[in-house]
Amino acid sequence: AQSVAQPEDQVNVAEGNPLTVKCTYSVSGNPYLFWYVQYPNRGLQFLLKYITGDNLVKGSYGFEAEFNKSQTSFHLKKPSALVSDSALYFCAVRDGSGGFKTIFGAGTRLFVKA
Amino acid sequence: DTGVSQDPRHKITKRGQNVTFRCDPISEHNRLYWYRQTLGQGPEFLTYFQNEAQLEKSRLLSDRFSAERPKGSFSTLEIQRTEQGDSAMYLCASSSSGQGAPRVNEQFFGPGTRLTVL
């Protein structure tokens, strides 16, 4: 069965500092991994994905994530946080070997302080 | 690209009533998903359509829930005999399976329908 864990309910960083939002996953087949962001009163927006290829993937708004197969992790990173990055971030996984069921984590709220 | 739209945006109903929600995906997307999201949780997968075929359905989904996607365009999600535990945000998403398309596997989400069961 697929599962996603986001171990931190909330991450606080100062503007200009690097940020990391953690995600670990479990899937029996090939993992398709995603990050989505949800701003207040707005729908979920796609940030980036890992399907195959380079372990470091770059996405929207300067975010990137590193796929680590041995640690079954897909942490979201940004070198320099902005106040406008404050939002709710969701990690998601799909078994790329079959099926289209996508499992989302519970979310991590990111607060960036000016 | 007009985005995914959902109707209504809000629905208040009494326990025991039936409700139906509509989702209009991005026109060229052949994949459509329904999710349920409660406060403090991530979206929970309900069901998946490829064109008009319902290919996956969550085992957690009660028999009171049914979804259709006639002609592979818009989709409806019906909840019969609503219960207070059905109160949640119901999200629809669509994606493309076009080979080689740059945004394959990315799900585009609608604004959701917030259901309150009294």
Side-chain angles (χ1 to χ4, degrees):
Chain A
Q2 300 153 241
S3 66
V4 174
Q6 294 183 243
E8 302 151 318
D9 291 336
Q10 185 170 308
V11 169
N12 298 309
V13 299
E15 189 174 34
N17 282 1
L19 71 87
T20 298
V21 182
K22 295 179 181 177
C23 171
T24 58
Y25 67 90
S26 174
V27 66
S28 55
N30 296 325
Y32 285 13
L33 295 157
F34 307 87
W35 277 100
Y36 287 84
V37 60
Q38 190 169 40
Y39 296 101
N41 300 316
R42 293 173 65 180
L44 278 157
Q45 296 178 35
F46 170 84
L47 270 183
L48 52 76
K49 66 184 176 187
Y50 171 83
I51 304 297
T52 187
D54 290 340
N55 289 345
L56 184 66
V57 292
K58 296 187 183 295
S60 308
Y61 312 120
F63 284 92
E64 58 189 30
E66 186 165 14
F67 168 62
N68 187 317
K69 188 173 182 178
S70 62
Q71 296 186 6
T72 60
S73 67
F74 190 57
H75 302 329
L76 180 70
K77 299 182 180 184
K78 187 172 182 181
S80 178
L82 300 172
V83 172
S84 58
D85 293 331
S86 299
L88 188 55
Y89 291 81
F90 293 97
C91 181
V93 67
R94 187 186 126 198
D95 187 339
S97 302
F100 293 89
K101 182 176 180 179
T102 304
I103 302 299
F104 283 77
T108 298
R109 188 164 296 281
L110 174 67
F111 285 104
V112 182
K113 194 166 82 170
Chain B
D1 180 352
T2 56
V4 178
S5 60
Q6 293 187 244
D7 183 68
R9 295 291 304 276
H10 303 272
K11 179 70 178 178
I12 300 173
T13 191
K14 292 182 179 178
R15 190 176 52 188
Q17 297 295 305
N18 299 342
V19 294
T20 300
F21 309 142
R22 177 180 170 122
C23 170
D24 286 90
I26 292 172
S27 57
E28 61 267 29
H29 286 180
N30 59 337
R31 296 176 176 173
L32 187 145
Y33 311 76
W34 283 100
Y35 295 88
R36 176 172 61 192
Q37 186 177 21
T38 53
L39 200 62
Q41 298 297 317
E44 176 191 5
F45 173 84
L46 295 179
T47 191
Y48 162 74
F49 289 85
Q50 181 147 321
N51 301 310
E52 67 276 6
Q54 187 176 21
L55 298 184
E56 284 195 68
K57 186 175 175 180
S58 171
R59 277 176 277 179
L60 301 174
L61 207 58
S62 157
D63 288 345
R64 297 183 296 106
F65 288 71
S66 62
E68 294 183 340
R69 192 183 182 197
K71 302 178 184 178
S73 56
F74 71 92
S75 176
T76 57
L77 177 68
E78 181 183 16
I79 309 174
Q80 296 182 326
R81 304 180 302 282
T82 53
E83 302 172 356
Q84 288 184 324
D86 297 331
S87 295
M89 178 75 85
Y90 289 83
L91 299 171
C92 176
S94 68
S95 69
S96 170
S97 66
Q99 290 294 329
R103 309 199 72 174
V104 169
N105 293 308
E106 296 175 26
Q107 294 184 36
F108 292 78
F109 281 82
T113 294
R114 183 170 296 284
L115 172 66
T116 301
V117 182
L118 302 175

